[in-house]
Each structure stands twice: as structure tokens, then as C-alpha cells.
Amino acid sequence: MEKRKTALFPLHKESHFLIFCILMVCLMGIAMFTAMRMGSVEIDPDTIQGILVNKLTSREYYPVTWEYSLESIVWDIRTPRVFTAFIVGAGLTMCGILMQVLTKNSLADPYVLGISHGASAGAVSVIMYGYLWFLGGYGTMAGAFLGALISITLAMKIASVRKKITATQLVLAGIAVSALFGAITNLMIYHTKTGSDKVKTASYWMMGSLSGSSWEKLKYATIAFLVCFALIMLLTRQLDVLMLGDDVASTVGVNTDKLKLMIILLATLLTGVIVSVSGPIGFVGLTFPHITRSIVGTKHRRLVPAAVLVGGTFLVVADIISRVIVAPEELPIGVVSAFFGAPFFLYLIRKGNKKAGG
Amino acid sequence: MKLNVENVSYSIGAKLIVDGVSLGVEEGSFVGLVGPNGCGKSTLLKNIYKVYKPDSGKVFIDGKDLAQLSNKETAKEMSVMQQENNVEFDMLVFDMVMLGRYSHQKMFGTDMVSEGRIVKDALAEVGLSGYEERSFLSLSGGEKQRTLVARALVQKAELVILDEPTNHLDIGYQYQIMNILKNQDLTVFSSIHDLNIASCYCDKIILMKAGRIVDFGTPEEMFVPEKIRNLFGVDTEVNVNPHTGRPNIVFYPQ
């Protein structure tokens, strides 16, 4: 038989993979620094460097030559925002990977499955009716987590036919669940808020935005992200096996029930936390696992860290675009990510059809 | 006995699919499970390899109750090969086979050099040396199935369960896969559709119908026209395959 060499993914060698990660870290740094400079006020690099170093060392390492207002823009507004963008992008990508392993379907992601909208509804209900007051600052997140948990259960129930999840069912389930929870969110907002406030909060909880970023929220999100990341890195081998299907995974030795429960908990926790800081931002969890997979392969030990870097960096860039393109106004970041993600989604569906057809 | 099934029953909804089945598979033997479509072969096997949990009855491997073992412990005792499964995410043949080593690897400190050697040896065993860097989804049906045989082999379990492994393969591949398995030092329990393949490779044949075991014995004892007629409703003539000395079943069209 003739041997065909098929290039499945270009970066086989471990050293190439490392170089890719290092390059991505550099790109991430450049994107973050650019994001700090750009916006309604453009700030020169020296000033940013001065402010950051002074703040981080809590000393006047660089003599203060800038206005106090700039310091506030850089440190209180842009820095948390840039890092939030990265964490949100990275976290959504990680959720996407988890959902895709869970459903064995590359179309799955928290937004497509309607889980982001479930989390939104949960967060809004807490904000509007305040029933989780005893949790203090964590109340919104807890609400979002609960909303995510309810919607993932619903979506998985609708999507699975005889214990199998088909692509069509998955997409349909997602449409139904996001429509339902989107409607609930709008109902709650229009029920409680008044005037122009309505439109603003509604668009925030439907489209997502990073304009509400703060150090406080960033702190929670970062902790949640790092904990989930660490746990997922411990599960990478089991995730690899689970891709083969539940039956195969269990005969190879994986406790699939426990693993799937773990995946659902991690994915909903992450989605909840992320949606509570940024609202539902679509298509990140769909696009970047797929792109990264085609570069570094399907093994999760490589895929997860690489995809996290790619997805996080993308959202930092998307955030720059959202602030620059209609300046001095700001576009919801969900609009930008949808412009990139939606065509990609269509491409995946078409590709899936072709595969099924021939 | 390597594998002991004691009085296993299993129903899906209200329908009893496996009805109090007991059987034993001796160490080192190649046992075939034969029966018409829908007789519960696959369901019985799934009860053995723990995808289904029996409603009643028990399964033992080397005297150990399978229900008491974790999936990881079970995987070291028994490997399973199913029909080629639909894999949505592509991976390298090497990585695919390596997944079979899951139950032997620890989270940290696994010697990946020796693990890699085990994988390469298994690939050589199934005639796929040099396929390590190939994409699994680009392989032909027979190559995919041989990759899965290699994955079952690296599990280093003494008992292999085959759940209709060669159904959709052409005749050449079917014989090839059975040859590979026959040449291993393993106990094999397999459901088989093709009676001549079963006759050729099995030491013992178990006949199954409507969720029950109706008979068992050597191929010579089982493959007689009355029994085949009773099972499949087809008239046959059985002679001796001059090459193997085993029963050769010739089917008569109606």
C-alpha cells in the first residue's frame, strides 16, 4: 500500500510547540501594551511604563511628569480592563474545550449552547432582586453559576437523543436555551429598570462588554480562572481519552461519570464567573480551540495552554478594536467577536456537512 | 475459568434483553458468541465490559467480582474492542494507541520512553509499523481497526472482549484481524457474525437466541444444519474445510 504522509497539524515537535507558546506570550504582551495606549485618550509608552513601574513598586521610581488624570486612566481603568479581557478570552476558550470534549462535538461552546445566556439571566436576577445578599460581592457570580448550571442541564437534556449528541440537536438546543434565557433576562431588566438605563443594561447582559472592569472583579475572575486551569491541566490525559467516546473511555480505565461531572462543574463555574464580569461574549470558545487544535493537535496537555494564550490574546485585540473603531464611542465587544466568530461557525457547519456527505 | 458470567439479566425499558445468562471462558481459549441480530449478544458483552450494569447476576474475572473493581483496575484485566468508533477529533496513530496505556500510567513520573516502545511494538504486531505519525482519520477501515487492535493490545490485559469488531470490514481484513488476535497469548471472547470465521478461529462456540444461551460446544458440535436452521432459519450443508479441517458451512438459498 502506498504511504501517504498527512500533515495533521504542523507542530509535532515539542520544541516547536514551546517556541509557539513563547511567540504567543510575546504577542500577548504587545497586544496588552497596545491596548493600554489606545482609546479615547492616546497615551505615550514612556508615561505608561512610568505609571506601571511606580504603581507596582509603590515608589516614585520614575519622576512624575504626567497629569494625575492619566495615572487614573492607566492604572484604574485600562490595566484591569486589559487583564480582564485576557482572562475572559482565555476562560471562554477553556470552557469551549471542555464543552467540546463533553459533547464530542467541535460546535459546542458556552455561547452556542446557551449557557452564557443562562449565566447572564442568573447574574441579572441576583442584581435586580438581590436574593443572594448574604454572599456579598460573590452574589452575582453565584447567581451566574446557578444560571449556567440550569441552562447546561437543560441544553444537554435537549441535545441528547438516545445518549448521543448530534450536531443538529446541539445547535437547536443552543438556540432554544439562549432564546429562553435571553427573554428571561430582558423581562427582568424591563420589569425593574427605568428609562435609558434599561437599554444600557440590557445590551450589556445580552452582548457583553468589558467597560465595567475593575480590579475587584478582575481579582475574582483571575482566581477562578487559575484554579480551573490548574485542575484542567491535571485532567488532560483523561480528557484525551474521553474524546474517543464514553464507552471507550470507560473500558480504557477512565471513571467517566466522575470525569463528566467534574467537566460540567468546571465549565459552569468558569462561565458563571466570566459572564458575571463581562456579560456573554460569543464565539470565542468555539473559534480558538478549533484554530489552536489545527496548529498543535488534539492532545490536551498542549492544546489547553496554547489555546488559552491564543483566545486571551484575541480578546485583548478585539477589545482594542471595540474601543477604536467608533471612537469616542465604544462598541460592545460581543459585536467584534461575533464578526470574527460567526463566519467561522458557518464554516464549521459547512465542513461538518461535507464530512457527513462524503 | 478466566471469565465467569453468573446468571446475568438485563432489560432495556420493559424488554428483557439478556435473560439469566451464565457462561465461562477458559484461560487461553478463543470463544465465539453466535446468534441472530437482536438476540442480545452485544448487550450481554456490554454487561461484561461494564458499559451496562446487570439488573441481576455477576461477572467475575479470575474470581474477582467486576462490580467491585474500579474502571482502571478492570482495564488492566480486560481490554475491549468495539466497531470502529466515530472520532470527531483527529489524532496521530501513535497517540491513539497510547491512549490504551491510560490505566498503566500515573499522573506524574511515567517513563514515556518505555511506554513509546510498547506502542511501537503493538503497531508492529498489527503490521502498522511506520504509521505512527499518520492521522487516524485518514486511514482505511482496515487500518483503523488494526490501530484499535493495537490499542487493545497495549492495555496488556489477558482477556480481550470483541464486540462485533470486523462487521463492516471486507473479508480480507476480517481474516487479518482474527489472525492477529489468534497469534497473541490471550483469552478472547468475541461476538462473530460470519459462521465460517467463527468455525475457523474459535475453540468453543456459544449459541445465543432471544436473550438466552441455547447451546455451547466445539465448532464441530455446534455447526450442524439443525442448529443453524434453528438459530438463523437458513438451510445449510456442513462439510469439512480441507485446509483447516474445521466445519465449513455452505448456505442454501430458499
Side-chain angles (χ1 to χ4, degrees), chain A residues 184-195:
Chain A
I184 295 175
T185 306
N186 274 325
L187 178 69
M188 286 188 291
I189 289 170
Y190 279 78
H191 193 240
T192 1
K193 290 265 174 171
T194 50

Side-chain angles (χ1 to χ4, degrees), chain A residues 194-265:
Chain A
T194 50
S196 65
D197 223 16
K198 269 185 202 173
V199 184
K200 207 171 169 191
T201 46
S203 90
Y204 177 85
W205 288 109
M206 296 304 290
M207 295 298 297
S209 165
L210 291 168
S211 57
S213 308
S214 67
W215 281 109
E216 179 83 359
K217 287 181 183 171
L218 175 63
K219 194 177 74 190
Y220 296 133
T222 309
I223 293 170
F225 171 78
L226 289 177
V227 169
C228 290
F229 180 75
L231 287 172
I232 291 169
M233 286 311 287
L234 289 178
L235 292 176
T236 49
R237 271 179 349 105
Q238 301 189 36
L239 295 177
D240 288 346
V241 181
L242 194 63
M243 283 194 303
L244 303 176
D246 296 358
D247 290 6
V248 178
S250 73
T251 57
V252 167
V254 173
N255 186 339
T256 41
D257 292 338
K258 204 175 107 193
L259 178 62
K260 281 160 79 178
L261 183 68
M262 187 85 179
I263 292 177
I264 290 180
L265 284 178

